Amino acid sequence: MKKRYMYSIISAFLCISILSGCAELDNLFVTDDGSQEQEDEISSLGLTPEFDYVIPESLPEIVVNQVGYSIDSNKIAVFRGEILPDTYDLIDAVTGETVYTGNIEQKGYNEATEENIAHGDFTDYKIPGTYYLQAEVIGRSYPFTIAEDPYNSIFNAALKQYYYNRCGLTLSTELAGTAAHNACHSKMAKFKEDTGAQIDVSGGWHVNENGKRDVVECCNAVNNLLLAYEMYGDIFTDEVGIPESGNGIPDIIDEVKYEIDWFLKMQDTTSGAVYSAVSVVDNSSTAYQLYIEPVTMDATIHFAATMAKFSYLYQNFDLEFATQCLKASDRAYRYAGKYLTDVSPEDYFFAAAELYRATGTNTYRKAAQNYLENEAELDMDNDYVFWGCVTYLSTKQTVDAKLCNKAISTLMRDVEKISYDSKSSKYLTEGNKEQGNNTELLQKMTRLAVVDHIISNHEYTTVLENHLHYFLGRNAQSISYIDGVGSRNYQILNEKMGIMKQVDLNAEFILMISAIYGN
């Protein structure tokens, strides 16, 4: 391994006596009346050395997916260094024997991370086991596995993270393990505008360590979870290990319904408006207090879109509850319609598209199609435009073929660019030097996952897999961003870097890995 020094701060001046010469030492002695030299006791050179080191960080120069590779997938490692050998060895981590020797190829400079790097492809090796790579001069990689299904536990853990985030529910040791706790934040909540009024808003998912629950953030998570289920439903089981497991409904749908139940509590039943969040304020005299954040148009229109999307998919499991959700969606949409100057056109389009698919009502169709007709360029970087277009494309209701072509051609163009830019990087993703753009990368993978479902393109599946490798350690800083896996996990560096603890990013990760499993 080659040591990379993050910082090295040395605050001491050494060897003064050597540099200054013996003549300078006379100044350290005091002569009494010029007759007798008196030597003071000298314990140092007048300076107290203080050493303030940051431990040098040693990173591997052979970078791999630290969890592993499936048997039949492409298996590529990244090699870093100005001078690289021509070959590398794949070594059995148990026996220490070399089982495969490959060539180091495609050497070049990666501008995004300012490194000279190359690839080693060991796709042909398919024997299950635990291994590491080793090469002369640059050392060895972190260990990894080759297995039939190395990602199943990660997939289930990502799904179960929402159970761990549940508020207002006792999590049992049997199901939650060390995350078990008694029901939290179950007391009545006060309105910030009128602290005398209180209502029950228990339930939902925490979005941060303070216990906050946020409508818009969780709507975004639900939308991607439902999209994953809609496209790749066959891979979701009823055995994740949540209280509802075994009830005949896929656990991803059960988990979403837990959040939907909370959404319904956040709607004002008279007006249809939606309160934006529930915050927690600690108070030494009352332990804690819950406050309901005011109504916002963002929360209201997002609620309308998400509830309609859920009702459309949930009608096969419980038609009565699905109808209740659809009515709540319509009330929110109508309320937002009274204040259109405060509503984003993109959000309104998304809600109209979902309601049109769920109901077939002409009012919603006109609203959705007006947006598509009036926008010269559809911005697929905007989640609500993207989700609205996907829903419009997938509806069984009557649609405009020209508008469908406009949406799909824009989406295909954007995905082609994502694919091309990813393949142009030596890390096979668009990760930047600081690795601070994971949110952007996951968003792009949701686009790729949808198009891959539509046309089943092997090239796109490979790009998705390369991003999974990236998030599991095949990146410039050798960081695994997924909880509990990898030799160098984000948790030892910065707890805020993880993907699974963020409800919206975790949903995008689930959609990405669903596309890999589903193809």
Side-chain angles (χ1 to χ4, degrees):
M1 301 216 181
K2 178 181 177 181
K3 291 186 177 179
R4 293 176 168 228
Y5 291 85
M6 297 173 59
Y7 302 95
S8 181
I9 305 171
I10 305 177
S11 55
F13 297 94
L14 303 177
C15 305
I16 291 178
S17 62
I18 297 175
L19 296 175
S20 59
C22 294
E24 297 295 325
L25 294 179
D26 290 341
N27 295 328
L28 298 175
F29 295 90
V30 178
T31 302
D32 184 20
D33 296 330
S35 60
Q36 182 179 1
E37 288 187 347
Q38 180 177 350
E39 183 176 342
D40 289 343
E41 182 178 353
I42 303 173
S43 59
S44 71
L45 297 182
L47 299 170
T48 301
E50 294 181 0
F51 302 96
D52 185 9
Y53 293 104
V54 173
I55 302 300
E57 188 172 19
S58 181
L59 297 179
E61 298 298 358
I62 306 176
V63 184
V64 297
N65 176 331
Q66 295 167 28
V67 172
Y69 303 84
S70 60
I71 290 174
D72 294 321
S73 71
N74 294 332
K75 308 177 192 71
I76 295 176
V78 172
F79 296 78
R80 309 186 291 190
E82 293 185 7
I83 300 176
L84 294 172
D86 293 326
T87 63
Y88 66 92
D89 294 325
L90 176 65
I91 297 176
D92 188 308
V94 177
T95 66
E97 297 179 356
T98 298
V99 297
Y100 178 89
T101 298
N103 294 323
I104 298 178
E105 302 173 323
Q106 299 181 8
K107 300 176 183 179
Y109 186 73
N110 193 61
E111 292 185 2
T113 56
E114 301 176 347
E115 296 174 292
N116 291 291
I117 57 181
H119 290 170
D121 189 336
F122 53 104
T123 300
D124 293 341
Y125 190 82
K126 300 184 178 183
I127 299 177
T130 302
Y131 304 92
Y132 61 86
L133 299 179
Q134 184 168 292
E136 293 181 357
V137 180
I138 57 175
R140 66 171 61 177
S141 71
Y142 286 129
F144 59 88
T145 63
I146 295 176
E148 186 69 37
D149 186 1
Y151 312 126
N152 184 61
S153 60
I154 294 173
F155 184 56
N156 285 332
L159 287 170
K160 196 166 182 176
Q161 184 62 46
Y162 293 99
Y163 168 64
Y164 299 142
N165 287 347
R166 287 188 186 186
C167 185
L169 179 76
T170 296
L171 305 189
S172 68
T173 303
E174 178 185 3
L175 295 179
T178 57
H181 62 74
N182 292 328
C184 58
H185 306 142
S186 298
K187 65 169 59 174
M188 301 290 279
K190 298 180 179 180
F191 291 93
K192 279 198 168 181
E193 303 93 333
D194 179 10
T195 55
Q198 301 184 62
I199 61 172
D200 172 27
V201 288
S202 58
W205 300 325
H206 293 151
V207 299
N208 61 26
E209 64 275 9
N210 297 324
K212 181 179 179 180
R213 285 160 285 161
D214 186 274
V215 170
V216 172
E217 188 172 346
C218 288
C219 277
N220 291 342
V222 167
N223 290 329
N224 276 318
L225 292 174
L226 292 177
L227 192 55
Y229 172 75
E230 186 173 357
M231 293 190 302
Y232 304 105
D234 290 344
I235 69 172
F236 293 98
T237 72
D238 189 23
E239 304 171 350
V240 172
I242 61 176
E244 298 83 359
S245 293
N247 67 353
I249 299 174
D251 283 343
I252 187 174
I253 297 298
D254 283 323
E255 193 57 68
V256 166
K257 184 181 180 298
Y258 189 84
E259 184 66 16
I260 294 294
D261 288 336
W262 178 71
F263 284 166
L264 288 171
K265 294 180 179 181
M266 294 296 287
Q267 184 178 40
D268 179 71
T269 55
T270 301
S271 67
V274 178
Y275 301 105
S276 58
V278 176
S279 58
V280 182
V281 176
D282 289 327
N283 187 309
S284 57
S285 61
T286 60
Y288 71 88
Q289 182 60 56
L290 300 179
Y291 288 100
I292 301 173
E293 301 293 336
V295 163
T296 66
M297 287 303 104
D298 281 348
T300 301
I301 197 64
H302 285 76
F303 173 99
T306 304
M307 296 298 281
K309 189 177 192 70
F310 175 79
S311 71
Y312 177 79
L313 295 173
Y314 199 70
Q315 61 183 321
N316 294 325
F317 302 108
D318 186 339
L319 181 58
E320 182 179 354
F321 185 74
T323 302
Q324 178 187 349
C325 292
L326 186 59
K327 290 179 179 179
S329 169
D330 179 69
R331 288 197 301 273
Y333 182 84
R334 291 176 184 273
Y335 180 87
K338 300 175 183 178
Y339 306 94
L340 284 181
T341 56
D342 298 323
V343 177
S344 160
E346 292 76 18
D347 297 354
Y348 198 68
F349 158 65
F350 174 39
E354 291 294 351
L355 279 160
Y356 177 54
R357 181 172 70 158
T359 67
T361 302
N362 197 45
T363 302
Y364 303 132
R365 179 184 64 82
K366 286 182 178 180
Q369 292 186 174
N370 282 342
Y371 178 83
L372 293 173
E373 289 169 351
N374 293 329
E375 289 297 310
E377 290 289 334
L378 297 174
D379 181 13
M380 290 298 175
D381 287 337
N382 184 297
D383 283 336
Y384 311 109
V385 176
F386 167 67
W387 288 329
C389 285
V390 171
T391 296
Y392 188 78
L393 289 168
S394 61
T395 183
K396 296 178 181 178
Q397 310 290 354
T398 302
V399 294
D400 187 312
K402 290 183 179 180
L403 295 179
C404 287
N405 288 335
K406 179 179 180 179
I408 194 64
S409 62
T410 303
L411 186 57
M412 289 294 300
R413 181 197 64 203
D414 288 0
V415 165
E416 275 295 305
K417 186 178 186 306
I418 292 170
S419 179
Y420 176 81
D421 290 344
S422 298
K423 291 185 294 183
S424 298
S425 166
K426 290 292 184 178
Y427 283 99
L428 303 175
T429 71
E430 294 180 76
N432 58 28
K433 185 177 182 180
E434 297 77 19
Q435 294 184 197
N437 64 333
N438 287 353
T439 298
E440 177 188 351
L441 295 180
L442 283 167
Q443 184 195 53
K444 289 182 176 181
M445 291 306 100
T446 63
R447 279 56 173 166
L448 206 67
V450 168
V451 174
D452 195 34
H453 172 72
I454 294 171
I455 65 175
S456 190
N457 187 312
H458 177 72
E459 177 183 320
Y460 294 161
T461 303
T462 299
V463 174
L464 288 161
E465 288 177 345
N466 284 330
H467 280 75
L468 179 60
H469 297 324
Y470 178 89
F471 291 125
L472 291 173
R474 199 179 69 185
N475 52 61
Q477 297 182 33
S478 297
I479 297 173
S480 169
Y481 292 99
I482 307 303
D483 286 16
V485 297
S487 298
R488 188 169 189 260
N489 192 270
Y490 79 92
Q491 291 170 314
I492 67 174
L493 304 172
N494 185 344
E495 279 288 342
K496 295 181 179 180
M497 296 168 64
I499 290 174
M500 286 171 54
K501 297 292 177 62
Q502 302 178 61
V503 295
D504 48 351
L505 296 190
N506 191 49
E508 292 178 327
F509 177 74
I510 288 171
L511 177 52
M512 180 187 76
I513 199 170
S514 297
I516 295 170
Y517 266 128
N519 286 299

